[in-house]
Amino acid sequence: MVAEQTLPDIAFEGSADIQELAGRAFQLIRAQGMFASDYAAIRVQIDALASALDVSGDELTGAIEANPQVFALETGEEATWVASTRLGQAPRPNVPDTRHSFAERFMTPEPAPERPLRTEKPVPEVAAFTEVATAIEDAHEEEVEIETELRAEGFTFDADVSVELVTDGEVASIDKEDETRKPSRAAEPVEAPEPVAEAVPEVAEPAAEAVEAEPQAEPAVVPSDFSGLDDAAVAAAIAETLRSDSRVANFGDQWMAEDQVDRLSRGNLRSLADYINEQEQPLTDDVLVQDVLGVRRSAPNFENARFSMNFRLSSERNFEFLGTHNQPFWGTTDLPSIGTTRRKATDIGTDYRYLVDEVPVGSVAPRSVRSVEHTVSFYEFTYGLLPLDASMQALLPAPVMPDQRSAVLMVEIPQFENSVYLVEVRYPTHNRGGFLLGLDDFYEEKLVPGALISIEATDNDGQYKIEYLEDDERQDRFLELDDRRSPKYVFRPLSYDTAVNEEWLVTESRFPRLGNEKPLPDKQRRHLEQVVEQVFQRIGEDDGGSLIAAFTDLLVAINVERPASEALLRATIEAMPSVSDDGSGILTYDQSA
Amino acid sequence: MANETRTPELNSEDIAALIEALRQHGRPMSTSELVAALRAAASR
């Protein structure tokens, strides 16, 4: 149903009669095409229209022609038609525009752009800045004048270089600039000042000759004489100098010309990382070169391939060198960490901070002893550690690389089912002490706090042995750190059959009041004085208001909380006015002091 | 007389000799091999 019918607002042209006639003609045409769409052409024969409007054909034709924006006259073979649309616009041909289409655009290739055939690159023209060139020339001339004048006055300069050239008559390895200048000085007599005007051409000629003769002027290399120097001193000088030379590749104690070192592709690096991660442990360079890079040990390029891999990996961020000289392990940053998860390695390093002062860098010769005897303290037992103190530093190798953070050692324990442990050495830094971690399983399975062990070096600086003395089986109640929920110390029965240092046993009969104590907060543990005070409260016996404890007991009980050496504890209590030592090994803690 | 133990400074000629030795060797060299190469170059 048509709810509303609106007529288009049309302004007809012509006189009032023509406008009125055109309007009526339009209404009739519109009525004829009442079901036509807005833009469809509605055609009516002009004779029929004139008849319906009761006007002559000429009158109607005049009105139609006066309004070409509304009507169109179409002349056919038999009749003439007046056409318009319901919107009052002259009909336009409704032909699809196929001049452009997407299909055509996609299917028709774009014509090649017109461009000239490739020609030789034009030689860039060097812009000649005559002003600058003149200024440089002037500066040179001025320099020569000044030099000449100074020589005339008996003044010598740059003597170290020019004298060598004059006296030795040898060509030294000098750079191009110097080459252009030195012959001129050599040719110029020092005592004979010459007029400035003559000095200038003298300078220019040898300079030109020197530049032209450059290809043949390869300097003869004459190294210094090191005959009076120790091999170690020369080696140190070589290492120090070549490490900063980009033409030389260095890994550990080995050197190679950088341009002869093989490169590793991204694919090689990915395969190496994947292989290490699959094995879930660090692998030696030998294994990696053979298994991943496919170079056999007997191949002539094996040594080069191994050095190249080591050198290239040393600059890769996701690889870490964890080896020693004899056992060059490579790990990745994705490998699981070795050792305890009960305490962070950085916190353990902070606990051992005192070792940084006790064992200054360079004070101990690495690998200078063959074996070390050690008593495992409660702290070491709990976290599966060994301290990197002076004796352990004398046993273990130094880091291979200057910035090496840690090394992984293989520790064999023949008495304990021939087991082999991967133990990580954390080398000391400027504010953290060094230590070894990864022995927690062995300690827990076989030892008790206070056990005596012997760590022995082998010929391979990455492999060690741990041994212990076997003894009759005994039982006792030993202290343990129960950190499953709220951490606290508890006593539990343990049986053991290894030799122990009785002084270092932390048993219930010796320290009964340690049971159910909570570990001190880290903030307090860092200050040994505060730990001493707390430990006196835990183990000291009341002696008329003061607390007394044997030095050994205090040392052992302090090592429950944190590591501390005997020397450190002695130095600490000496500085504490509240603690006094009567010389018999019994310490008194005066709480009121 | 005992040899000196102070660390000497290498000049450009020494470094050039070391690099030449490395290039000619074509394989990794140890520091002690480089010391020997440097001494040999000095004696030539």
Side-chain angles (χ1 to χ4, degrees):
Chain A
M1 189 179 80
V2 176
E4 187 183 4
Q5 187 174 2
T6 53
L7 285 171
D9 186 17
I10 302 168
F12 290 102
E13 303 287 328
S15 64
D17 290 345
I18 288 177
Q19 286 183 23
E20 190 266 338
L21 180 58
R24 285 199 294 138
F26 176 68
Q27 281 177 4
L28 269 178
I29 291 171
R30 205 164 181 272
Q32 172 81 10
M34 64 171 62
F35 298 115
S37 64
D38 284 352
Y39 296 97
I42 306 162
R43 291 185 179 81
V44 180
Q45 276 193 13
I46 195 165
D47 295 342
L49 192 59
S51 164
L53 293 170
D54 198 17
V55 293
S56 68
D58 291 341
E59 278 178 315
L60 183 60
T61 304
I64 297 298
E65 285 176 344
N67 292 282
Q69 78 281 11
V70 181
F71 304 107
L73 272 174
E74 296 174 3
T75 308
E77 286 181 5
E78 294 177 357
T80 301
W81 302 80
V82 179
S84 186
T85 61
R86 287 182 60 78
L87 290 178
Q89 295 167 350
R92 292 174 190 151
N94 191 14
V95 180
D97 184 359
T98 56
R99 284 174 298 174
H100 304 287
S101 71
F102 274 121
E104 194 181 339
R105 280 193 196 181
F106 287 134
M107 297 299 291
T108 311
E110 195 179 352
E114 286 181 13
R115 58 183 169 202
L117 292 170
R118 191 179 292 270
T119 54
E120 277 185 25
K121 274 190 180 175
V123 179
E125 280 184 26
V126 180
F129 294 100
T130 49
E131 284 179 21
V132 177
T134 313
I136 292 170
E137 231 167 75
D138 290 347
H140 276 304
E141 282 174 14
E142 195 180 341
E143 193 184 347
V144 171
E145 280 172 28
I146 292 166
E147 280 182 20
T148 313
E149 281 171 21
L150 286 171
R151 283 205 181 86
E153 289 167 19
F155 183 82
T156 53
F157 53 92
D158 207 2
D160 54 337
V161 182
S162 56
V163 167
E164 258 185 32
L165 282 164
V166 174
T167 53
D168 297 348
E170 291 169 347
V171 184
S173 64
I174 47 174
D175 62 26
K176 200 168 158 183
E177 276 182 22
D178 285 346
E179 276 184 68
T180 58
R181 294 177 59 189
K182 281 167 189 168
S184 70
R185 288 184 196 167
E188 205 171 36
V190 174
E191 295 84 7
E194 289 187 17
V196 172
E198 285 175 29
V200 175
E202 260 187 84
V203 171
E205 280 176 28
E209 278 170 22
V211 172
E212 280 170 18
E214 193 187 5
Q216 286 120 21
E218 192 67 34
V221 177
V222 182
S224 316
D225 180 15
F226 296 107
S227 55
L229 287 164
D230 190 42
D231 269 3
V234 180
I238 289 173
E240 193 181 318
T241 310
L242 293 193
R243 272 204 187 106
S244 56
D245 196 314
S246 60
R247 294 168 294 177
V248 179
N250 167 234
F251 183 79
D253 185 44
Q254 291 201 305
W255 308 84
M256 208 171 156
E258 208 278 338
D259 52 6
Q260 292 176 334
V261 178
D262 301 336
R263 298 190 182 281
L264 293 178
S265 68
R266 286 281 121 201
N268 288 148
L269 292 172
R270 208 176 307 118
S271 305
L272 288 164
D274 289 348
Y275 194 68
I276 295 170
N277 292 337
E278 277 167 20
Q279 305 291 319
E280 295 183 343
Q281 66 172 65
L283 298 172
T284 62
D285 56 1
D286 269 18
V287 170
L288 292 171
V289 170
Q290 291 179 83
D291 292 3
V292 182
L293 301 183
V295 183
R296 281 180 298 174
R297 219 175 195 302
S298 55
N301 64 334
F302 181 81
E303 231 184 304
N304 282 16
R306 186 173 55 183
F307 177 87
S308 301
M309 188 197 73
N310 283 332
F311 175 66
R312 300 293 179 207
L313 289 190
S314 64
S315 57
E316 289 294 326
R317 270 190 307 175
N318 51 338
F319 287 87
E320 191 177 5
F321 183 73
L322 300 168
T324 60
H325 279 288
N326 301 135
Q327 189 169 260
F329 271 140
W330 279 103
T332 68
T333 48
D334 295 330
L335 275 183
S337 56
I338 292 173
T340 185
T341 52
R342 298 170 88 176
R343 188 160 175 77
K344 283 193 286 185
T346 48
D347 291 339
I348 296 172
T350 307
D351 290 343
Y352 279 117
R353 193 184 191 292
Y354 69 93
L355 289 176
V356 177
D357 302 322
E358 263 185 25
V359 194
V361 178
S363 62
V364 176
R367 299 273 292 170
S368 56
V369 298
R370 199 63 197 171
S371 70
V372 166
E373 306 288 325
H374 185 77
T375 303
V376 180
S377 72
F378 179 89
Y379 178 88
E380 292 158 13
F381 179 88
T382 304
Y383 300 113
L385 307 172
L386 282 172
L388 196 53
D389 54 14
S391 56
M392 286 299 289
Q393 286 194 30
L395 180 76
L396 299 183
V400 177
M401 309 296 284
D403 55 349
Q404 191 174 342
R405 207 167 49 99
S406 56
V408 173
L409 308 176
M410 291 173 78
V411 175
E412 188 189 358
I413 309 170
Q415 291 161 285
F416 187 56
E417 298 165 357
N418 279 328
S419 49
V420 177
Y421 284 83
L422 286 179
V423 170
E424 186 171 351
V425 183
R426 291 280 184 143
Y427 289 112
T429 64
H430 67 282
N431 60 354
R432 292 198 179 100
F435 56 96
L436 289 81
L437 74 171
L439 292 165
D440 26 355
D441 284 352
F442 164 58
Y443 285 177
E444 203 173 318
E445 293 283 324
K446 191 66 190 171
L447 305 183
V448 290
L452 270 170
I453 56 171
S454 164
I455 307 114
E456 195 182 325
T458 67
D459 291 340
N460 184 318
D461 70 356
Q463 294 175 8
Y464 293 81
K465 273 184 190 175
I466 289 184
E467 289 177 331
Y468 48 83
L469 280 176
E470 290 178 4
D471 206 344
D472 295 335
E473 186 168 330
R474 284 173 287 174
Q475 275 198 342
D476 212 331
R477 288 177 65 81
F478 285 90
L479 192 70
E480 277 185 21
L481 174 63
D482 182 352
D483 52 5
R484 279 173 296 181
R485 288 177 196 155
S486 173
K488 64 177 181 180
Y489 297 115
V490 292
F491 284 104
R492 290 211 175 95
L494 279 178
S495 60
Y496 59 103
D497 57 1
T498 64
V500 293
N501 183 343
E502 299 284 345
E503 283 187 346
W504 281 84
L505 292 180
V506 191
T507 54
E508 190 168 23
S509 54
R510 187 177 176 194
F511 301 112
R513 303 207 314 263
L514 286 184
N516 290 326
E517 286 284 353
K518 289 181 179 174
L520 296 175
D522 269 352
K523 199 176 170 186
Q524 211 169 351
R525 285 157 50 124
R526 286 197 193 107
H527 302 283
L528 189 55
E529 302 85 356
Q530 294 183 26
V531 180
V532 169
E533 288 170 3
Q534 289 297 319
V535 169
F536 260 113
Q537 308 276 356
R538 289 176 178 179
I539 68 164
E541 289 176 20
D542 187 29
D543 183 32
S546 299
L547 293 168
I548 58 168
F551 178 84
T552 312
D553 288 350
L554 191 70
L555 180 63
V556 172
I558 282 172
N559 271 279
V560 168
E561 283 295 333
R562 54 157 287 172
S565 66
E566 184 180 334
L568 176 69
L569 181 58
R570 286 203 187 280
T572 305
I573 58 177
E574 265 177 34
M576 289 175 71
S578 56
V579 180
S580 55
D581 184 356
D582 64 358
S584 67
I586 301 295
L587 304 174
T588 306
Y589 171 54
D590 182 1
Q591 299 173 72
S592 59
Chain B
M1 194 180 79
N3 282 344
E4 284 185 61
T5 54
R6 68 176 171 85
T7 305
E9 278 190 22
L10 304 189
N11 61 29
S12 60
E13 289 84 356
D14 302 326
I15 297 168
L18 287 168
I19 292 173
E20 186 58 28
L22 284 169
R23 289 230 164 86
Q24 282 184 0
H25 197 67
R27 286 183 291 114
M29 290 176 82
S30 67
T31 312
S32 53
E33 284 176 313
L34 284 179
V35 171
L38 192 58
R39 288 193 191 280
S43 65
R44 277 200 292 271

